[in-house]
Structures are given as structure tokens and as C-alpha cells.
Amino acid sequence: MQRLSAYLIYLTYGALGILFLFTAIKSLLYIRSSKKAPARAQLDERLLNTLNERREQP
Amino acid sequence: MNKKNAVTIKPYERTEYAYDKLRVCRKCGSYTVLSQKVCPACGKRTLTDVPSAAKREVRRSMQSERLFAVLLALLAMFFADTIPWMAISAAAGLLLTAMLWVVQRRTTEAQIRIRTDRMFARDQNRIRHGMIQDIKAAEGLLEARPALAYEMLREVNTLLRNDPIRNLQAELLQTFVLRRDMDLLLEPLIMDGFSPHLAGYIGEVAKLNRELIKESAIRYCLRYEPQIRGMHRGEDILAAVAGAAVRMKRYIELYPEFIRRYTYKLPAERLERLREVISQHPGSFEQLKLEAEAVHRLRFGGRDSHASSNEGGQGGSSW
């Protein structure tokens, strides 16, 4: 029973470890991607370029 | 000449960005620029603007992440065998989830823009298809309700910018009786190729509201000057544009030769304006100055042009 209890505490460590890593990685990704987020004017320009790009006639 | 129709055109709603006009259906995923609420594809009142749809997706994904963090914290608490470890797990879970929530909150705006960009890239064919459906809807109304068809094409032209759509609008505008109080647009209609409809429209706009004649319209007239001259009353169109151009010194500096070519057709008031600008800049526009003076002498002799135009003299014409 004591051995089982010892194993279970490892699951607690594991869950806390995953939680820490998940939060840290997600936060870093959010901060990094936000720095590269396009401005609204860029979004507009990209959409207009995509919609109005000249296509080769078949 | 075709009979022109008196119509009422709704003012154009200007938005900061072109994509602000775009709506996406939450139900069927169709895109449109023609409707604000009801989806033309599925008929449901589920249209929303693209940033709102992106915001919804971002919020949902952020909520899922927070839920995952809470579940991990609960799992850690569940397997903790002592009270202190349960407390540690709860505190760590609370702290880390709160940290994640703060970061998410601070980056939400940027994430919405990223998601909007991805939606545009992912759905580009769907957006194009939606625009084509909008054009077809407008084409269906060309005969029955031309003013509405024009308004619809004007909306589509906000995003889809090509000569056929512009030409269709110019053609429709040429069938309307245009008035000064109408919310007329010119810049978005300037085409790459030549269109007699557009040239005619430019001529009318130059008479009705010369403020709309900007560099792009003048350049268009310069590029297709021979074709416009070959049109019925083509020289009148070019003279009207030249007359509108003299309102700004910048245009006189940029296109002195063009203005010089049509100085002889300028109405008295426009000729006066041209002479006024030239007189303010002695030493500049020599050729233009000579032409303006020659036309003035020829038209008014030694008399004051103001007096002449008040008397209904030559050149004090309809514009």
C-alpha cells in the first residue's frame, strides 16, 4: 500500500511538471507569435493581393 | 443617345479597411459583402464580420487550453497522498493557470489578427466564390433595378478590383442622371484598360464635382487621350478634366502640357483660375502662361473676363 502511495505521488509530480511545461511553452509561444502578428493594414493588403492576383488564363 | 434614368443611390459606407465589409456565415461558412445579417447562401441570420469569427475561434482555443491546465492541476491534487501535497498541487495549478490566463488576455488582440490572417489564407477560394456569387446576384438585377445592381457592384469592388467590374459600374453610371448631391466615386473605378463608359463618367464627374478628379483620373485621361478625343464630345471631357486639374497648383506643375492643350476650351472661370495660379508663380509654366494669355486675349479682348462671364460671354459655359 505504501509502495502504491509512492507511485501515486510520482503521478502528482508528473502532472505538475506537465502543467508547468505546458504553461511555460504556451506563454512563450503566445508572446513570440504576438510580436509577429500582422497589423490590420497588412491584413487588408494581403487579402486584397490574394483576391486580386492575376491568374494565368487556361 | 440612350435615355438616362433618374435614380437614387445610397451613400457608400466607407470603412477603415476593405475587409471590414466582408461577412462570413457561422452556419455554412459562405462569404459575402452584400448582406450584414442574412446569409445569401443558406438564408440564416448568422452572418458575422471576419475578426469576430476569428475572435470566437481564438477564445474557444484559449478556453480549451485553460481547461487542460485545470485538469492537470486536478489530476495532481487527486494523486497527492498528503494534505500538504494537495495544497501544493492546488496552489501550483491555480498559479500556473492564472499565469496562462494573463498571457492569453494580453495577447488576445494579436492572436485575433493572426487568426484572421489564417482565415483569409485558408478560405481564399471560398471568399472568391462568395464574391462571384455577389456579382451574379448584382447581374441578375441589372435590368430590373440598375441602381441597386450598381450599389451591389460598388460593394464587391471594395474587395474584388478588376476592370470588368469597374466597367460594368461605369456603364451603369452612364445610364443614370448624375447629380452633385450623389455620393459619386471615381478613384475605385479607374481601370487599367480604356473604357468609353469610364471616360464619359470622368467627364460628367469633372463637371459635377471637380474635387473627385485626382491624379489617377488625370493620368487615365492622359494615357487614353487619343481614344477619348475620338469619342463623341471627347474634347469636352478632356477640357472638363483639365478645368478640374487647374484647381490645384500641384496638378498644374505635373501636367502643364495636358492643361495647355485644352486651355482654349476652358470656361471663363477655370481660365481665370489658371491665370491666377500662373501669376502667383512668375517664371514658371511659361508655355502655359503664353497659351492662357493668348486664349484670354482672343476670348475677351481687353475686357475683364469676370464681367464677360457675368454677361453670359463666350466660355462662361455650363460648368
Side-chain angles (χ1 to χ4, degrees):
Chain A
M1 193 66 189
Q2 266 198 340
R3 190 176 265 184
L4 181 69
S5 167
Y7 283 129
L8 287 179
I9 196 73
Y10 284 124
L11 285 174
T12 301
Y13 297 157
L16 285 178
I18 293 168
L19 175 60
F20 176 77
L21 282 175
F22 175 74
T23 313
I25 291 168
K26 270 287 158 193
S27 302
L28 278 175
L29 287 176
Y30 274 127
I31 292 164
R32 259 186 69 176
S33 65
S34 296
K35 282 180 185 165
K36 291 177 188 166
R40 293 194 71 196
Q42 282 175 303
L43 284 179
D44 207 41
E45 200 183 319
R46 282 186 205 176
L47 177 67
L48 290 174
N49 286 341
T50 312
L51 290 178
N52 297 298
E53 67 187 7
R54 284 173 198 277
R55 290 182 158 185
E56 292 294 323
Q57 293 296 315
Chain B
M1 196 172 168
N2 291 336
K3 192 173 173 285
K4 295 200 175 205
N5 302 316
V7 292
T8 309
I9 298 171
K10 278 186 204 153
Y12 178 67
E13 264 183 52
R14 286 159 179 83
T15 52
E16 194 176 356
Y17 300 104
Y19 72 83
D20 290 337
K21 295 247 174 197
L22 195 61
R23 295 284 181 274
V24 58
C25 178
R26 291 198 301 269
K27 204 84 182 165
C28 66
S30 304
Y31 284 85
T32 182
V33 285
L34 295 185
S35 178
Q36 295 289 314
K37 287 186 180 125
V38 182
C39 172
C42 68
K44 301 246 165 48
R45 295 175 72 83
T46 43
L47 284 183
T48 178
D49 57 303
V50 184
S52 297
K55 189 176 181 178
R56 188 194 300 272
E57 282 188 19
V58 167
R59 277 194 173 166
R60 202 177 299 150
S61 112
M62 285 179 169
Q63 272 172 3
S64 307
E65 285 164 7
R66 288 201 299 274
L67 189 68
F68 181 66
V70 170
L71 283 176
L72 280 174
L74 288 175
L75 203 70
M77 282 171 70
F78 181 75
F79 290 118
D81 56 346
T82 59
I83 298 288
W85 267 108
M86 278 178 83
I88 289 168
S89 302
L94 200 70
L95 190 76
L96 290 169
T97 311
M99 195 182 99
L100 180 65
W101 180 70
V102 169
V103 174
Q104 284 178 339
R105 261 189 69 130
R106 288 196 175 172
T107 57
T108 302
E109 281 305 311
Q111 292 302 319
I112 291 169
R113 291 200 302 274
I114 292 170
R115 192 63 67 116
T116 307
D117 195 28
R118 278 191 208 149
M119 282 177 76
F120 287 153
R122 183 190 70 196
D123 296 345
Q124 54 176 284
N125 285 332
R126 212 182 276 177
I127 297 171
R128 203 176 271 122
H129 178 75
M131 298 293 101
I132 291 167
Q133 294 306 312
D134 287 347
I135 294 168
K136 282 182 182 167
E139 280 176 343
L141 294 170
L142 283 178
E143 295 292 324
R145 299 178 70 186
L148 182 61
Y150 164 72
E151 284 167 12
M152 289 160 88
L153 289 168
R154 187 177 61 178
E155 294 297 320
V156 175
N157 195 39
T158 313
L159 282 166
L160 211 56
R161 298 168 183 180
N162 58 45
D163 277 9
I165 298 175
R166 290 170 178 149
N167 192 41
L168 202 53
Q169 286 179 82
E171 200 177 335
L172 279 170
L173 284 163
Q174 283 292 279
T175 66
F176 303 153
V177 178
L178 300 179
R179 298 184 311 272
R180 197 181 156 77
D181 63 332
M182 280 177 170
D183 189 8
L184 300 173
L185 303 176
L186 182 55
E187 292 274 303
L189 294 183
I190 300 296
M191 301 179 204
D192 296 326
F194 173 67
S195 159
H197 302 297
L198 178 62
Y201 177 63
I202 292 175
E204 280 197 64
V205 167
K207 293 172 200 169
L208 286 170
N209 186 358
R210 63 176 79 106
E211 297 296 318
L212 289 176
I213 302 293
K214 300 211 168 88
E215 225 175 306
S216 58
I218 302 170
R219 276 206 306 268
Y220 185 82
C221 290
L222 262 173
R223 199 190 321 157
Y224 296 109
E225 196 178 345
Q227 287 92 328
I228 298 173
R229 281 178 83 102
M231 287 169 59
H232 172 66
R233 293 176 67 91
E235 288 204 357
D236 290 345
I237 293 172
L238 293 164
V241 173
V246 301
R247 79 182 189 281
M248 285 177 81
K249 185 196 152 208
R250 180 181 147 72
Y251 296 151
I252 300 176
E253 276 174 346
L254 285 172
Y255 310 105
E257 266 307 298
F258 172 68
I259 295 167
R260 193 186 63 79
R261 284 199 289 278
Y262 300 97
T263 303
Y264 76 101
K265 274 188 93 81
L266 290 184
E269 172 254 333
R270 294 284 88 198
L271 185 64
E272 255 331 288
R273 165 73 191 158
L274 178 62
R275 290 177 69 224
E276 187 190 314
V277 175
I278 292 171
S279 67
Q280 284 166 5
H281 301 87
S284 313
F285 323 116
E286 279 307 318
Q287 293 290 315
L288 191 56
K289 187 179 179 182
L290 286 174
E291 181 74 16
E293 291 306 325
V295 171
H296 186 261
R297 262 198 312 276
L298 193 71
R299 207 181 278 178
F300 305 107
R303 288 176 299 147
D304 178 14
S305 59
H306 291 297
S308 306
S309 58
N310 288 342
E311 288 161 16
Q314 184 193 7
S317 64
S318 50
W319 53 70

